[in-house]
Amino acid sequence: MTRYLARRLAFAIVLVVAVSSGSFILARLAPGDFVTLTTRGQVSPETMQRERARFGLNKSVAAHYRDWFAAAVRLDFGDSMLYDRPVRGMIVERAANTAILAVAALVLATAVGLPLGIVAGSRRGGVIPAAIRSASLLLLSMPPLLTSLLLVFIAARTGWFPIAGMRSATTPGGGATLDLLHHLVVPSLAIALPLAAMLERLQAQAMSEVIAEPFVLATLARGVPRSRVVWRDALKAALRPVAGVYGLIVGTVLSGSFAVEVITAWPGLGSLMLTALRARDVYLVAGCAAAGAVFLAFGTLVADLALAFVDPRTAASASPDEAAA
Amino acid sequence: MTRGVGIVLVALAVTAAVAAPLIAPHAADARFPGLLNAPPTVPHVVDDGGLWHAPFIYRWRLVSQLEQRYEEDRSQRVPLAWFSGGHLVAAPDAAAPLLVAGADSFGRDVFSRLMFGARTSLSLAAAAALGATLIGGIVGGLAGYAGGAADDVLMRGTDFVMVLPAMYVALALRAVLPLVLSAQQVFWLLAAIFAVLGAPFIARGVRSIVRTERRLEYAIAAEALGAPAMRLLLRHLLPATRGFVAVQITLLVPAFIVAEATLSYVGLGFPDTVASWGTMLHEASSNIRVFADFPWLLSPAAAMFLVVLGLNLVLQSDRSPERHALQRPPA
């Protein structure tokens, strides 16, 4: 177990270093730098040179990367060129917002998807499993880009929920937490709906496979009530394959949250990354990428540990990469 | 049954893309300056007097320039002309165009743009899927055939790409290239990016199938008869991956369609002059009233849903569709 943990941690570190370094170098190599884009050539060459020197853009890419990396390992990601603020503070704030959204979506998707999957998978035929299955199929065909547009459409027409942002300008009655939850409904549902459909399908599949196993029949034959067999004995065995997917889902949630953050104006990591990339704000791009990678590595790590906990065979056999994939 | 529905949906979308110039009543960039954000013109067959006619429409009369509200001008019927001027159906009067799905904020026909947009979006997804199959086939084939260190390195690489959130990688790769590019350049660039991101999903499966097939008697026999490695791989082993690759392509195409739409939506895809489902949504989203007053501008989202649903339904009849959910590339 300790070895497994060490290997997973090493993989996480490689992931964070590779992703942030890669995006720093890519952003540096991109045509048109921050100074050119913001001044649009309206100032004298001397001023441009001075500005470039201020941001370190006059250095060679290798030297710039070396300096940035040396600072970054001490968690100093430089100052954002665009906002003139330390990158660290900005990404921590934005990453927290994305985390709220992602965790809410994961909890919602799990709470809806797994029970429905158990119901759909434990019955052969009937109206309810068919209805669940059809709903899942429809939702599986709606990636977060479409669910968020649909939910914003519904919210805008009915006026039930706020369609953009994370907080109201003025704190309404009920306090800040309630206000946040109110704003969270549309974006978190937009990510959770397709995810719930996917979890439901997986759980239904796992459940129907377990139900067909002899031990279920044997337990039923001993006179244990059906509902208890399904919800206790079969469920225990059927949770494993689904638990294994959570490591992969973290990436899916992050990907999905990008479109949702942009459409619902949720101030998360994705929309900041977009702004940074467009402005060629090298430090902010690398900072966002690092935060995203930490997010991903942490999520994958937690998911893998949970899986190893549920199913000890994972830790004994899997190489780190196989477990991640 | 469900599979049939899926095939019909996909066939409709492909027909729309291929026959866009014929089906669309107008050119993708034709503007009707007097009809900004005009609602859809509903074809009628019965007029106010209760008399039956060949299908006709009423022209829109602007009620409020400021609010862009329109009202049907019921005083005069505009009959539809079938198979004229190279179009399936159109209204001959340029002042009263047939707007099946309304007009956008430039006064362009949304339905026509939807048809031409299907061309852009679907051909991009198809090109990217083809590229992903090529790259994934080569990488997976080599890894599975060679084994050993090469296999290790290649598979670590694919694992790494698969762990990353695909949307962010696509975004970053697109954004670090010149922001303003021609439509042609954007097409090939996005196709290349998507192909690289989709390839690992194909490579992994191809590798494991090639590995298994290699040990089967027919492959050993071919090798014993002196078939060179290249022939063994191309003629015998890779064809065995056909079924798997077909399923993967069906999963990748929807992901690519949505990826194009997402990138265009945030302004990093096609330029706004090009009709694609993504640029149409981008255009729609710039208008705050789209949700309340001009919902027809969101029709590209509906089109996208139907195509993705169609492709998912096609997969449904496979023995265990749930298995695919595991391999689903994150959209």
Side-chain angles (χ1 to χ4, degrees):
Chain A
M1 190 71 195
T2 323
R3 243 189 96 203
Y4 176 70
L5 185 65
R7 270 152 71 178
R8 301 299 305 147
L9 264 176
F11 178 73
I13 292 168
V14 169
L15 184 74
V16 174
V17 171
V19 166
S20 52
S21 298
S23 48
F24 182 90
I25 293 169
L26 269 179
R28 224 1 262 275
L29 291 175
D33 62 12
F34 176 74
V35 176
T36 327
L37 281 181
T38 41
T39 58
R40 293 205 179 85
Q42 304 285 309
V43 295
S44 67
E46 292 78 44
T47 318
M48 300 252 296
Q49 275 312 315
R50 207 174 53 239
E51 282 292 290
R52 286 215 172 88
R54 186 159 79 87
F55 296 127
L57 292 173
N58 55 343
K59 293 181 232 175
S60 73
V61 176
H64 197 192
Y65 170 68
R66 205 179 48 229
D67 293 350
W68 172 82
F69 190 78
V73 290
R74 282 177 275 118
L75 295 183
D76 172 12
F77 294 98
D79 286 358
S80 159
M81 303 171 186
L82 194 60
Y83 297 98
D84 206 15
R85 280 174 54 196
V87 166
R88 188 170 56 183
M90 296 180 71
I91 56 175
V92 166
E93 183 195 326
R94 293 300 193 101
N97 292 348
T98 295
I100 293 175
L101 186 57
V103 170
L106 261 181
V107 170
L108 257 173
T110 308
V112 175
L114 292 196
L116 288 181
I118 294 165
V119 170
S122 62
R123 293 177 196 199
R124 239 175 253 292
V127 180
I128 296 171
I132 294 174
R133 190 184 154 88
S134 314
S136 283
L137 245 173
L138 287 181
L139 286 175
L140 265 183
S141 311
M142 276 203 223
L145 175 77
L146 298 184
T147 47
S148 51
L149 282 172
L150 178 71
L151 289 171
V152 167
F153 181 73
I154 295 171
R157 288 240 151 176
T158 57
W160 290 339
F161 299 105
I163 56 168
M166 194 172 158
R167 290 185 179 88
S168 304
T170 54
T171 313
T177 317
L178 208 65
D179 184 45
L180 179 65
L181 286 178
H182 200 205
H183 279 80
L184 197 55
V185 172
V186 166
S188 62
L189 263 183
I191 303 177
L193 286 179
L195 207 57
M198 189 184 118
L199 288 175
E200 186 276 318
R201 287 289 80 210
L202 285 171
Q203 182 68 69
Q205 164 81 1
M207 201 68 196
S208 65
E209 270 167 20
V210 170
I211 290 282
E213 287 199 24
F215 85 86
V216 173
L217 193 64
T219 321
L220 283 172
R222 277 213 319 265
V224 180
R226 193 187 145 78
S227 67
R228 206 163 116 175
V229 175
V230 168
W231 289 89
R232 199 193 60 181
D233 305 307
L235 179 58
K236 241 183 233 168
L239 268 184
R240 278 179 202 161
V242 180
V245 187
Y246 274 82
L248 275 181
I249 283 183
V250 184
T252 315
V253 170
L254 264 186
S255 265
S257 81
F258 172 71
V260 173
E261 280 177 15
V262 172
I263 290 172
T264 64
W266 186 266
L269 219 43
S271 36
L272 187 66
M273 177 95 169
L274 179 65
T275 318
L277 276 167
R278 300 200 66 137
R280 300 278 191 253
D281 188 338
V282 180
Y283 298 117
L284 197 53
V285 169
C288 285
V294 168
F295 205 118
L296 187 67
F298 181 73
T300 322
L301 198 63
V302 170
D304 284 342
L305 287 182
L307 181 63
F309 194 71
V310 176
D311 188 356
R313 285 172 302 182
T314 323
S317 67
S319 84
D321 296 14
E322 274 160 22
Chain B
M1 212 292 268
T2 47
R3 183 170 200 175
V5 175
I7 291 173
V8 167
L9 283 174
V10 175
L12 275 178
V14 172
T15 312
V18 173
L22 188 71
I23 300 172
H26 310 286
D29 51 0
R31 295 183 180 193
F32 302 99
L35 290 164
L36 310 185
N37 288 325
T41 49
V42 188
H44 299 268
V45 283
V46 185
D47 67 10
D48 283 347
L51 288 170
W52 287 71
H53 301 274
F56 64 93
I57 56 171
Y58 290 116
R59 70 177 70 218
W60 287 115
R61 191 172 52 217
L62 193 60
V63 179
S64 159
Q65 176 87 47
L66 189 67
E67 290 178 35
Q68 290 178 332
R69 269 194 302 113
Y70 296 85
E71 175 178 277
E72 274 186 340
D73 179 359
R74 294 212 166 233
S75 60
Q76 200 187 353
R77 288 180 293 110
V78 181
L80 296 179
W82 297 84
F83 300 107
S84 72
H87 300 290
L88 177 65
V89 57
D93 187 354
L98 173 67
L99 303 170
V100 181
D104 67 9
S105 59
F106 292 101
R108 296 175 298 198
D109 175 24
V110 171
F111 179 75
S112 299
R113 289 181 71 72
L114 209 54
M115 297 295 113
F116 284 101
R119 273 195 160 184
T120 320
S121 300
L122 296 185
S123 59
L124 172 62
L130 205 66
T133 308
L134 270 180
I135 302 174
I138 291 171
V139 170
L142 286 182
Y145 188 84
D151 180 28
D152 251 22
V153 172
L154 288 174
M155 283 305 109
R156 296 264 152 138
T158 58
D159 283 346
F160 191 76
V161 176
M162 283 170 81
V163 170
L164 298 176
M167 201 57 240
Y168 278 92
V169 184
L171 176 75
L173 288 179
R174 169 64 190 95
V176 296
L177 290 155
L179 294 176
V180 181
L181 289 172
S182 75
Q184 277 275 313
Q185 288 167 318
V186 171
F187 183 92
W188 293 114
L189 184 67
L190 291 187
I193 293 175
F194 294 169
V196 169
L197 289 176
F201 292 91
I202 295 198
R204 285 201 124 251
V206 166
R207 171 207 173 246
S208 62
I209 294 173
V210 166
R211 261 178 87 95
T212 328
E213 294 285 322
R214 238 207 114 175
R215 301 208 187 93
L216 296 184
E217 273 126 1
Y218 80 92
I220 297 170
E223 210 172 358
L225 285 171
M230 216 47 196
R231 184 182 159 84
L232 184 64
L233 203 54
L234 289 179
R235 188 80 182 73
H236 297 295
L237 299 180
L238 287 180
T241 65
R242 254 184 332 225
F244 168 79
V245 169
V247 169
Q248 284 301 306
I249 289 179
T250 325
L251 288 170
L252 283 174
V253 164
F256 291 156
I257 293 175
V258 173
E260 181 275 323
T262 311
L263 284 181
S264 293
Y265 186 89
V266 301
L268 284 172
F270 286 102
D272 282 351
T273 47
V274 178
S276 88
W277 291 349
T279 54
M280 291 176 75
L281 284 180
H282 175 71
E283 223 270 308
S285 71
S286 61
N287 190 330
I288 189 79
R289 288 174 59 203
V290 59
F291 294 108
D293 299 323
F294 315 126
W296 53 87
L297 294 181
L298 295 173
S299 49
M304 230 182 294
F305 166 68
L306 291 177
V307 172
V308 178
L309 179 68
L311 287 165
N312 280 343
L313 287 177
V314 170
L315 279 185
Q316 270 308 295
S317 57
D318 272 19
R319 263 165 303 140
S320 64
E322 289 78 13
R323 215 182 44 221
H324 306 316
L326 249 176
Q327 307 161 339
R328 183 167 295 276

